[in-house]
PDB file of all heavy atoms in Angstrom:
ATOM      1  N   GLN A  70     -18.815  54.364  -2.951  1.00 89.00           N
ATOM      2  CA  GLN A  70     -18.446  55.434  -2.031  1.00 89.00           C
ATOM      3  C   GLN A  70     -18.720  56.776  -2.692  1.00 89.00           C
ATOM      4  O   GLN A  70     -18.778  56.872  -3.928  1.00 89.00           O
ATOM      5  CB  GLN A  70     -16.971  55.334  -1.644  1.00 89.00           C
ATOM      6  CG  GLN A  70     -16.004  55.568  -2.799  1.00 89.00           C
ATOM      7  CD  GLN A  70     -14.546  55.473  -2.365  1.00 89.00           C
ATOM      8  OE1 GLN A  70     -14.221  54.809  -1.390  1.00 89.00           O
ATOM      9  NE2 GLN A  70     -13.666  56.162  -3.077  1.00 89.00           N
ATOM     10  N   GLN A  90     -29.373  51.939  -4.561  1.00 73.00           N
ATOM     11  CA  GLN A  90     -29.325  50.962  -5.643  1.00 73.00           C
ATOM     12  C   GLN A  90     -27.971  50.249  -5.643  1.00 73.00           C
ATOM     13  O   GLN A  90     -27.102  50.522  -4.816  1.00 73.00           O
ATOM     14  CB  GLN A  90     -29.549  51.660  -6.986  1.00 73.00           C
ATOM     15  CG  GLN A  90     -30.846  52.454  -7.067  1.00 73.00           C
ATOM     16  CD  GLN A  90     -32.070  51.581  -6.927  1.00 73.00           C
ATOM     17  OE1 GLN A  90     -32.157  50.522  -7.525  1.00 73.00           O
ATOM     18  NE2 GLN A  90     -33.018  52.037  -6.111  1.00 73.00           N
ATOM     19  N   ASP A 125     -10.782  62.346 -13.025  1.00 95.00           N
ATOM     20  CA  ASP A 125     -11.558  61.208 -12.510  1.00 95.00           C
ATOM     21  C   ASP A 125     -10.787  60.400 -11.477  1.00 95.00           C
ATOM     22  O   ASP A 125     -11.355  59.916 -10.496  1.00 95.00           O
ATOM     23  CB  ASP A 125     -11.989  60.301 -13.665  1.00 95.00           C
ATOM     24  CG  ASP A 125     -12.846  59.137 -13.203  1.00 95.00           C
ATOM     25  OD1 ASP A 125     -13.980  59.383 -12.754  1.00 95.00           O
ATOM     26  OD2 ASP A 125     -12.376  57.988 -13.286  1.00 95.00           O
ATOM     27  N   PRO A 133      -3.192  56.980  -7.357  1.00 88.00           N
ATOM     28  CA  PRO A 133      -2.240  56.446  -6.374  1.00 88.00           C
ATOM     29  C   PRO A 133      -1.725  57.497  -5.396  1.00 88.00           C
ATOM     30  O   PRO A 133      -1.337  57.157  -4.266  1.00 88.00           O
ATOM     31  CB  PRO A 133      -1.101  55.902  -7.245  1.00 88.00           C
ATOM     32  CG  PRO A 133      -1.711  55.669  -8.587  1.00 88.00           C
ATOM     33  CD  PRO A 133      -2.762  56.716  -8.742  1.00 88.00           C
ATOM     34  N   GLY A 171     -27.677  85.392 -20.755  1.00 94.00           N
ATOM     35  CA  GLY A 171     -29.119  85.337 -20.608  1.00 94.00           C
ATOM     36  C   GLY A 171     -29.799  84.266 -21.438  1.00 94.00           C
ATOM     37  O   GLY A 171     -30.918  84.481 -21.925  1.00 94.00           O
ATOM     38  N   PRO A 182      -4.314  87.224 -17.110  1.00 97.00           N
ATOM     39  CA  PRO A 182      -3.227  87.306 -18.092  1.00 97.00           C
ATOM     40  C   PRO A 182      -1.861  86.905 -17.543  1.00 97.00           C
ATOM     41  O   PRO A 182      -1.015  86.432 -18.298  1.00 97.00           O
ATOM     42  CB  PRO A 182      -3.232  88.789 -18.500  1.00 97.00           C
ATOM     43  CG  PRO A 182      -4.587  89.292 -18.147  1.00 97.00           C
ATOM     44  CD  PRO A 182      -4.985  88.530 -16.909  1.00 97.00           C
ATOM     45  N   GLY A 199     -26.843  66.979 -13.486  1.00 97.00           N
ATOM     46  CA  GLY A 199     -27.450  66.037 -12.541  1.00 97.00           C
ATOM     47  C   GLY A 199     -28.543  65.200 -13.173  1.00 97.00           C
ATOM     48  O   GLY A 199     -28.879  64.113 -12.667  1.00 97.00           O
ATOM     49  N   LEU A 224     -23.035  71.026 -25.724  1.00 98.00           N
ATOM     50  CA  LEU A 224     -21.836  71.490 -26.417  1.00 98.00           C
ATOM     51  C   LEU A 224     -21.171  72.591 -25.602  1.00 98.00           C
ATOM     52  O   LEU A 224     -21.787  73.607 -25.296  1.00 98.00           O
ATOM     53  CB  LEU A 224     -22.210  72.023 -27.808  1.00 98.00           C
ATOM     54  CG  LEU A 224     -21.102  72.724 -28.587  1.00 98.00           C
ATOM     55  CD1 LEU A 224     -19.968  71.755 -28.897  1.00 98.00           C
ATOM     56  CD2 LEU A 224     -21.650  73.335 -29.875  1.00 98.00           C
ATOM     57  N   GLY A 235     -13.879  87.083 -36.858  1.00 94.00           N
ATOM     58  CA  GLY A 235     -14.175  88.405 -37.387  1.00 94.00           C
ATOM     59  C   GLY A 235     -13.102  89.417 -37.019  1.00 94.00           C
ATOM     60  O   GLY A 235     -11.906  89.109 -36.965  1.00 94.00           O
ATOM     61  N   PHE A 298      -6.911  96.314 -42.882  1.00 98.00           N
ATOM     62  CA  PHE A 298      -6.336  95.091 -42.307  1.00 98.00           C
ATOM     63  C   PHE A 298      -6.193  93.973 -43.339  1.00 98.00           C
ATOM     64  O   PHE A 298      -5.258  93.174 -43.262  1.00 98.00           O
ATOM     65  CB  PHE A 298      -7.164  94.633 -41.107  1.00 98.00           C
ATOM     66  CG  PHE A 298      -6.840  95.395 -39.859  1.00 98.00           C
ATOM     67  CD1 PHE A 298      -7.544  96.531 -39.523  1.00 98.00           C
ATOM     68  CD2 PHE A 298      -5.790  95.001 -39.042  1.00 98.00           C
ATOM     69  CE1 PHE A 298      -7.231  97.259 -38.386  1.00 98.00           C
ATOM     70  CE2 PHE A 298      -5.465  95.714 -37.902  1.00 98.00           C
ATOM     71  CZ  PHE A 298      -6.187  96.852 -37.575  1.00 98.00           C
ATOM     72  N   ARG A 308       3.642  83.841 -44.550  1.00 97.00           N
ATOM     73  CA  ARG A 308       4.583  83.214 -43.619  1.00 97.00           C
ATOM     74  C   ARG A 308       4.603  83.940 -42.283  1.00 97.00           C
ATOM     75  O   ARG A 308       4.511  83.323 -41.221  1.00 97.00           O
ATOM     76  CB  ARG A 308       5.985  83.174 -44.224  1.00 97.00           C
ATOM     77  CG  ARG A 308       7.015  82.531 -43.303  1.00 97.00           C
ATOM     78  CD  ARG A 308       8.385  82.480 -43.950  1.00 97.00           C
ATOM     79  NE  ARG A 308       8.377  81.657 -45.167  1.00 97.00           N
ATOM     80  CZ  ARG A 308       9.452  81.462 -45.936  1.00 97.00           C
ATOM     81  NH1 ARG A 308      10.614  82.036 -45.618  1.00 97.00           N
ATOM     82  NH2 ARG A 308       9.376  80.695 -47.008  1.00 97.00           N
ATOM     83  N   ILE A 349      -8.761  89.320 -41.668  1.00 96.00           N
ATOM     84  CA  ILE A 349      -9.850  90.016 -40.977  1.00 96.00           C
ATOM     85  C   ILE A 349     -10.777  89.011 -40.294  1.00 96.00           C
ATOM     86  O   ILE A 349     -11.944  89.301 -40.025  1.00 96.00           O
ATOM     87  CB  ILE A 349     -10.642  90.939 -41.934  1.00 96.00           C
ATOM     88  CG1 ILE A 349     -11.251  90.154 -43.094  1.00 96.00           C
ATOM     89  CG2 ILE A 349      -9.749  92.057 -42.438  1.00 96.00           C
ATOM     90  CD1 ILE A 349     -12.210  90.988 -43.958  1.00 96.00           C
ATOM     91  N   VAL A 475     -21.465  85.983 -29.082  1.00 95.00           N
ATOM     92  CA  VAL A 475     -22.912  85.806 -29.031  1.00 95.00           C
ATOM     93  C   VAL A 475     -23.356  85.374 -30.418  1.00 95.00           C
ATOM     94  O   VAL A 475     -23.163  86.106 -31.394  1.00 95.00           O
ATOM     95  CB  VAL A 475     -23.637  87.102 -28.613  1.00 95.00           C
ATOM     96  CG1 VAL A 475     -25.148  86.871 -28.555  1.00 95.00           C
ATOM     97  CG2 VAL A 475     -23.122  87.586 -27.264  1.00 95.00           C
TER      98      VAL A 475
END
Side-chain angles (χ1 to χ4, degrees):
Q70 66 179 26
Q90 304 297 315
D125 182 67
L224 172 63
F298 280 92
R308 180 179 298 179
I349 59 172
V475 181

